[in-house]
Amino acid sequence: MNNLKITFLLLFILTNLKSVAQNSNAEKILGCWIFKELQFSEQVDFAEELNKNAKNTVVCFTPDGNFTNTKSGVESNKINGTYKISEDGKTIIQKSDISSENEDESAEIHSIDDKLLVFKLEFGKMVFERK
């Protein structure tokens, strides 16, 4: 009987730990982040230009599932959209007002803490710093 109680207790603890981890990325991502750099996994000729053009772009995530993406000082370059964090807390799925009708964009949340947010994409990593 003690083994059964221990098994249920372990299942309960593991289930709750999983849900805490899932919520933590959804909570940690809230607020505004400043784009710092795109780290390509392979050599790309236009990497420097792309980083220069995107530098200091601000992305803000709100609790209601909306986000804005604004190039610093350029209101006309504002992009709006919606996002959600996957059930396992490891992926962000976005749809913006410039996306194709049925096309969602997703990225793996490589790491996130109070200061840095890193998305892993097919071609490299996007690094953001908390605003």
Side-chain angles (χ1 to χ4, degrees):
M1 192 64 156
N2 282 339
N3 287 341
L4 186 60
K5 287 181 183 179
I6 291 172
T7 302
F8 281 123
L9 180 62
L10 286 174
L11 283 173
F12 177 77
I13 290 170
L14 290 174
T15 303
N16 285 328
L17 285 176
K18 184 178 177 186
S19 65
V20 168
Q22 291 171 359
N23 291 334
S24 66
N25 282 349
E27 292 170 1
K28 288 178 187 178
I29 204 167
L30 296 177
C32 295
W33 300 88
I34 302 170
F35 175 84
K36 289 301 174 186
E37 72 174 317
L38 185 54
Q39 301 169 345
F40 290 93
S41 51
E42 296 180 8
Q43 183 68 27
V44 178
D45 292 336
F46 56 87
E48 188 175 329
E49 182 180 345
L50 186 59
N51 273 310
K52 182 181 174 185
N53 288 335
K55 193 161 183 97
N56 297 323
T57 296
V58 177
V59 180
C60 297
F61 297 97
T62 61
D64 62 359
N66 291 304
F67 75 90
T68 57
N69 182 342
T70 309
K71 175 73 173 145
S72 184
V74 184
E75 187 63 29
S76 63
N77 284 346
K78 188 173 187 177
I79 298 169
N80 296 302
T82 59
Y83 77 96
K84 63 181 176 179
I85 304 296
S86 64
E87 286 188 31
D88 65 5
K90 296 179 182 178
T91 305
I92 184 169
I93 300 104
Q94 296 178 297
K95 183 158 182 84
S96 70
D97 53 8
I98 62 169
S99 299
S100 299
E101 272 187 45
N102 294 319
E103 187 176 324
D104 290 340
E105 299 169 355
S106 64
E108 177 186 334
I109 300 173
H110 179 64
S111 61
I112 186 170
D113 60 30
D114 292 342
K115 297 179 183 179
L116 289 176
L117 168 62
V118 180
F119 291 125
K120 184 176 180 184
L121 307 165
E122 287 181 38
F123 51 83
K125 296 177 183 172
M126 293 179 76
V127 179
F128 294 83
E129 188 175 272
R130 173 90 55 194
K131 183 174 179 182

mmCIF file with all atom_site columns, all heavy atoms in Angstrom, residues 100-113:
data_model
loop_
_atom_site.group_PDB
_atom_site.id
_atom_site.type_symbol
_atom_site.label_atom_id
_atom_site.label_alt_id
_atom_site.label_comp_id
_atom_site.label_asym_id
_atom_site.label_entity_id
_atom_site.label_seq_id
_atom_site.pdbx_PDB_ins_code
_atom_site.Cartn_x
_atom_site.Cartn_y
_atom_site.Cartn_z
_atom_site.occupancy
_atom_site.B_iso_or_equiv
_atom_site.pdbx_formal_charge
_atom_site.auth_seq_id
_atom_site.auth_comp_id
_atom_site.auth_asym_id
_atom_site.auth_atom_id
_atom_site.pdbx_PDB_model_num
ATOM 1   N N   . SER A 1 100 ? 0.570  35.375 -44.100 1.00 0.00 ? 100 SER A N   1
ATOM 2   C CA  . SER A 1 100 ? -0.422 34.842 -45.022 1.00 0.00 ? 100 SER A CA  1
ATOM 3   C C   . SER A 1 100 ? -1.647 34.430 -44.215 1.00 0.00 ? 100 SER A C   1
ATOM 4   O O   . SER A 1 100 ? -1.548 34.150 -43.024 1.00 0.00 ? 100 SER A O   1
ATOM 5   C CB  . SER A 1 100 ? 0.135  33.637 -45.768 1.00 0.00 ? 100 SER A CB  1
ATOM 6   O OG  . SER A 1 100 ? 1.253  34.001 -46.529 1.00 0.00 ? 100 SER A OG  1
ATOM 7   N N   . GLU A 1 101 ? -2.799 34.348 -44.876 1.00 0.00 ? 101 GLU A N   1
ATOM 8   C CA  . GLU A 1 101 ? -4.069 34.104 -44.177 1.00 0.00 ? 101 GLU A CA  1
ATOM 9   C C   . GLU A 1 101 ? -4.039 32.944 -43.193 1.00 0.00 ? 101 GLU A C   1
ATOM 10  O O   . GLU A 1 101 ? -4.438 33.073 -42.050 1.00 0.00 ? 101 GLU A O   1
ATOM 11  C CB  . GLU A 1 101 ? -5.189 33.875 -45.194 1.00 0.00 ? 101 GLU A CB  1
ATOM 12  C CG  . GLU A 1 101 ? -5.846 35.150 -45.625 1.00 0.00 ? 101 GLU A CG  1
ATOM 13  C CD  . GLU A 1 101 ? -7.043 34.891 -46.496 1.00 0.00 ? 101 GLU A CD  1
ATOM 14  O OE1 . GLU A 1 101 ? -7.855 34.012 -46.157 1.00 0.00 ? 101 GLU A OE1 1
ATOM 15  O OE2 . GLU A 1 101 ? -7.156 35.576 -47.514 1.00 0.00 ? 101 GLU A OE2 1
ATOM 16  N N   . ASN A 1 102 ? -3.607 31.777 -43.621 1.00 0.00 ? 102 ASN A N   1
ATOM 17  C CA  . ASN A 1 102 ? -3.642 30.598 -42.753 1.00 0.00 ? 102 ASN A CA  1
ATOM 18  C C   . ASN A 1 102 ? -2.255 30.181 -42.283 1.00 0.00 ? 102 ASN A C   1
ATOM 19  O O   . ASN A 1 102 ? -2.054 29.040 -41.897 1.00 0.00 ? 102 ASN A O   1
ATOM 20  C CB  . ASN A 1 102 ? -4.320 29.430 -43.482 1.00 0.00 ? 102 ASN A CB  1
ATOM 21  C CG  . ASN A 1 102 ? -5.779 29.716 -43.744 1.00 0.00 ? 102 ASN A CG  1
ATOM 22  O OD1 . ASN A 1 102 ? -6.455 30.251 -42.890 1.00 0.00 ? 102 ASN A OD1 1
ATOM 23  N ND2 . ASN A 1 102 ? -6.244 29.365 -44.925 1.00 0.00 ? 102 ASN A ND2 1
ATOM 24  N N   . GLU A 1 103 ? -1.307 31.082 -42.329 1.00 0.00 ? 103 GLU A N   1
ATOM 25  C CA  . GLU A 1 103 ? 0.063  30.727 -42.006 1.00 0.00 ? 103 GLU A CA  1
ATOM 26  C C   . GLU A 1 103 ? 0.456  31.219 -40.617 1.00 0.00 ? 103 GLU A C   1
ATOM 27  O O   . GLU A 1 103 ? 0.431  32.409 -40.333 1.00 0.00 ? 103 GLU A O   1
ATOM 28  C CB  . GLU A 1 103 ? 1.003  31.344 -43.046 1.00 0.00 ? 103 GLU A CB  1
ATOM 29  C CG  . GLU A 1 103 ? 2.430  30.906 -42.917 1.00 0.00 ? 103 GLU A CG  1
ATOM 30  C CD  . GLU A 1 103 ? 3.294  31.471 -44.025 1.00 0.00 ? 103 GLU A CD  1
ATOM 31  O OE1 . GLU A 1 103 ? 2.816  31.588 -45.156 1.00 0.00 ? 103 GLU A OE1 1
ATOM 32  O OE2 . GLU A 1 103 ? 4.448  31.797 -43.731 1.00 0.00 ? 103 GLU A OE2 1
ATOM 33  N N   . ASP A 1 104 ? 0.796  30.293 -39.758 1.00 0.00 ? 104 ASP A N   1
ATOM 34  C CA  . ASP A 1 104 ? 1.322  30.625 -38.439 1.00 0.00 ? 104 ASP A CA  1
ATOM 35  C C   . ASP A 1 104 ? 2.834  30.479 -38.493 1.00 0.00 ? 104 ASP A C   1
ATOM 36  O O   . ASP A 1 104 ? 3.356  29.627 -39.206 1.00 0.00 ? 104 ASP A O   1
ATOM 37  C CB  . ASP A 1 104 ? 0.778  29.675 -37.370 1.00 0.00 ? 104 ASP A CB  1
ATOM 38  C CG  . ASP A 1 104 ? -0.699 29.885 -37.104 1.00 0.00 ? 104 ASP A CG  1
ATOM 39  O OD1 . ASP A 1 104 ? -1.209 30.963 -37.439 1.00 0.00 ? 104 ASP A OD1 1
ATOM 40  O OD2 . ASP A 1 104 ? -1.333 28.966 -36.566 1.00 0.00 ? 104 ASP A OD2 1
ATOM 41  N N   . GLU A 1 105 ? 3.519  31.312 -37.763 1.00 0.00 ? 105 GLU A N   1
ATOM 42  C CA  . GLU A 1 105 ? 4.962  31.221 -37.671 1.00 0.00 ? 105 GLU A CA  1
ATOM 43  C C   . GLU A 1 105 ? 5.298  30.716 -36.284 1.00 0.00 ? 105 GLU A C   1
ATOM 44  O O   . GLU A 1 105 ? 4.697  31.138 -35.304 1.00 0.00 ? 105 GLU A O   1
ATOM 45  C CB  . GLU A 1 105 ? 5.594  32.592 -37.920 1.00 0.00 ? 105 GLU A CB  1
ATOM 46  C CG  . GLU A 1 105 ? 5.279  33.144 -39.293 1.00 0.00 ? 105 GLU A CG  1
ATOM 47  C CD  . GLU A 1 105 ? 5.681  34.605 -39.458 1.00 0.00 ? 105 GLU A CD  1
ATOM 48  O OE1 . GLU A 1 105 ? 6.128  35.223 -38.477 1.00 0.00 ? 105 GLU A OE1 1
ATOM 49  O OE2 . GLU A 1 105 ? 5.542  35.105 -40.571 1.00 0.00 ? 105 GLU A OE2 1
ATOM 50  N N   . SER A 1 106 ? 6.276  29.813 -36.192 1.00 0.00 ? 106 SER A N   1
ATOM 51  C CA  . SER A 1 106 ? 6.638  29.296 -34.880 1.00 0.00 ? 106 SER A CA  1
ATOM 52  C C   . SER A 1 106 ? 8.150  29.296 -34.712 1.00 0.00 ? 106 SER A C   1
ATOM 53  O O   . SER A 1 106 ? 8.898  29.297 -35.687 1.00 0.00 ? 106 SER A O   1
ATOM 54  C CB  . SER A 1 106 ? 6.082  27.883 -34.680 1.00 0.00 ? 106 SER A CB  1
ATOM 55  O OG  . SER A 1 106 ? 6.667  26.993 -35.596 1.00 0.00 ? 106 SER A OG  1
ATOM 56  N N   . ALA A 1 107 ? 8.550  29.317 -33.455 1.00 0.00 ? 107 ALA A N   1
ATOM 57  C CA  . ALA A 1 107 ? 9.965  29.260 -33.109 1.00 0.00 ? 107 ALA A CA  1
ATOM 58  C C   . ALA A 1 107 ? 10.099 28.536 -31.780 1.00 0.00 ? 107 ALA A C   1
ATOM 59  O O   . ALA A 1 107 ? 9.220  28.621 -30.920 1.00 0.00 ? 107 ALA A O   1
ATOM 60  C CB  . ALA A 1 107 ? 10.555 30.662 -33.009 1.00 0.00 ? 107 ALA A CB  1
ATOM 61  N N   . GLU A 1 108 ? 11.197 27.843 -31.624 1.00 0.00 ? 108 GLU A N   1
ATOM 62  C CA  . GLU A 1 108 ? 11.488 27.183 -30.359 1.00 0.00 ? 108 GLU A CA  1
ATOM 63  C C   . GLU A 1 108 ? 12.006 28.221 -29.376 1.00 0.00 ? 108 GLU A C   1
ATOM 64  O O   . GLU A 1 108 ? 12.832 29.067 -29.725 1.00 0.00 ? 108 GLU A O   1
ATOM 65  C CB  . GLU A 1 108 ? 12.556 26.113 -30.575 1.00 0.00 ? 108 GLU A CB  1
ATOM 66  C CG  . GLU A 1 108 ? 12.982 25.413 -29.314 1.00 0.00 ? 108 GLU A CG  1
ATOM 67  C CD  . GLU A 1 108 ? 14.145 24.464 -29.534 1.00 0.00 ? 108 GLU A CD  1
ATOM 68  O OE1 . GLU A 1 108 ? 14.318 23.979 -30.664 1.00 0.00 ? 108 GLU A OE1 1
ATOM 69  O OE2 . GLU A 1 108 ? 14.890 24.232 -28.569 1.00 0.00 ? 108 GLU A OE2 1
ATOM 70  N N   . ILE A 1 109 ? 11.509 28.177 -28.160 1.00 0.00 ? 109 ILE A N   1
ATOM 71  C CA  . ILE A 1 109 ? 12.048 29.035 -27.108 1.00 0.00 ? 109 ILE A CA  1
ATOM 72  C C   . ILE A 1 109 ? 13.292 28.319 -26.585 1.00 0.00 ? 109 ILE A C   1
ATOM 73  O O   . ILE A 1 109 ? 13.201 27.361 -25.823 1.00 0.00 ? 109 ILE A O   1
ATOM 74  C CB  . ILE A 1 109 ? 11.023 29.282 -25.986 1.00 0.00 ? 109 ILE A CB  1
ATOM 75  C CG1 . ILE A 1 109 ? 9.785  29.967 -26.566 1.00 0.00 ? 109 ILE A CG1 1
ATOM 76  C CG2 . ILE A 1 109 ? 11.644 30.110 -24.871 1.00 0.00 ? 109 ILE A CG2 1
ATOM 77  C CD1 . ILE A 1 109 ? 8.628  30.102 -25.586 1.00 0.00 ? 109 ILE A CD1 1
ATOM 78  N N   . HIS A 1 110 ? 14.441 28.764 -27.046 1.00 0.00 ? 110 HIS A N   1
ATOM 79  C CA  . HIS A 1 110 ? 15.708 28.124 -26.687 1.00 0.00 ? 110 HIS A CA  1
ATOM 80  C C   . HIS A 1 110 ? 16.053 28.392 -25.226 1.00 0.00 ? 110 HIS A C   1
ATOM 81  O O   . HIS A 1 110 ? 16.439 27.495 -24.496 1.00 0.00 ? 110 HIS A O   1
ATOM 82  C CB  . HIS A 1 110 ? 16.817 28.618 -27.614 1.00 0.00 ? 110 HIS A CB  1
ATOM 83  C CG  . HIS A 1 110 ? 18.158 28.057 -27.321 1.00 0.00 ? 110 HIS A CG  1
ATOM 84  N ND1 . HIS A 1 110 ? 18.433 26.719 -27.438 1.00 0.00 ? 110 HIS A ND1 1
ATOM 85  C CD2 . HIS A 1 110 ? 19.302 28.642 -26.895 1.00 0.00 ? 110 HIS A CD2 1
ATOM 86  C CE1 . HIS A 1 110 ? 19.694 26.509 -27.106 1.00 0.00 ? 110 HIS A CE1 1
ATOM 87  N NE2 . HIS A 1 110 ? 20.240 27.657 -26.762 1.00 0.00 ? 110 HIS A NE2 1
ATOM 88  N N   . SER A 1 111 ? 15.910 29.659 -24.824 1.00 0.00 ? 111 SER A N   1
ATOM 89  C CA  . SER A 1 111 ? 16.128 30.015 -23.423 1.00 0.00 ? 111 SER A CA  1
ATOM 90  C C   . SER A 1 111 ? 15.415 31.326 -23.125 1.00 0.00 ? 111 SER A C   1
ATOM 91  O O   . SER A 1 111 ? 15.200 32.151 -24.016 1.00 0.00 ? 111 SER A O   1
ATOM 92  C CB  . SER A 1 111 ? 17.621 30.138 -23.103 1.00 0.00 ? 111 SER A CB  1
ATOM 93  O OG  . SER A 1 111 ? 18.213 31.152 -23.882 1.00 0.00 ? 111 SER A OG  1
ATOM 94  N N   . ILE A 1 112 ? 15.039 31.473 -21.856 1.00 0.00 ? 112 ILE A N   1
ATOM 95  C CA  . ILE A 1 112 ? 14.371 32.694 -21.424 1.00 0.00 ? 112 ILE A CA  1
ATOM 96  C C   . ILE A 1 112 ? 14.609 32.868 -19.927 1.00 0.00 ? 112 ILE A C   1
ATOM 97  O O   . ILE A 1 112 ? 14.546 31.912 -19.162 1.00 0.00 ? 112 ILE A O   1
ATOM 98  C CB  . ILE A 1 112 ? 12.855 32.664 -21.752 1.00 0.00 ? 112 ILE A CB  1
ATOM 99  C CG1 . ILE A 1 112 ? 12.193 34.001 -21.425 1.00 0.00 ? 112 ILE A CG1 1
ATOM 100 C CG2 . ILE A 1 112 ? 12.175 31.514 -21.078 1.00 0.00 ? 112 ILE A CG2 1
ATOM 101 C CD1 . ILE A 1 112 ? 10.768 34.120 -21.930 1.00 0.00 ? 112 ILE A CD1 1
ATOM 102 N N   . ASP A 1 113 ? 14.949 34.097 -19.550 1.00 0.00 ? 113 ASP A N   1
ATOM 103 C CA  . ASP A 1 113 ? 15.082 34.438 -18.136 1.00 0.00 ? 113 ASP A CA  1
ATOM 104 C C   . ASP A 1 113 ? 14.697 35.902 -17.976 1.00 0.00 ? 113 ASP A C   1
ATOM 105 O O   . ASP A 1 113 ? 14.075 36.477 -18.869 1.00 0.00 ? 113 ASP A O   1
ATOM 106 C CB  . ASP A 1 113 ? 16.487 34.126 -17.598 1.00 0.00 ? 113 ASP A CB  1
ATOM 107 C CG  . ASP A 1 113 ? 17.600 34.877 -18.306 1.00 0.00 ? 113 ASP A CG  1
ATOM 108 O OD1 . ASP A 1 113 ? 17.378 36.007 -18.801 1.00 0.00 ? 113 ASP A OD1 1
ATOM 109 O OD2 . ASP A 1 113 ? 18.730 34.341 -18.367 1.00 0.00 ? 113 ASP A OD2 1
#
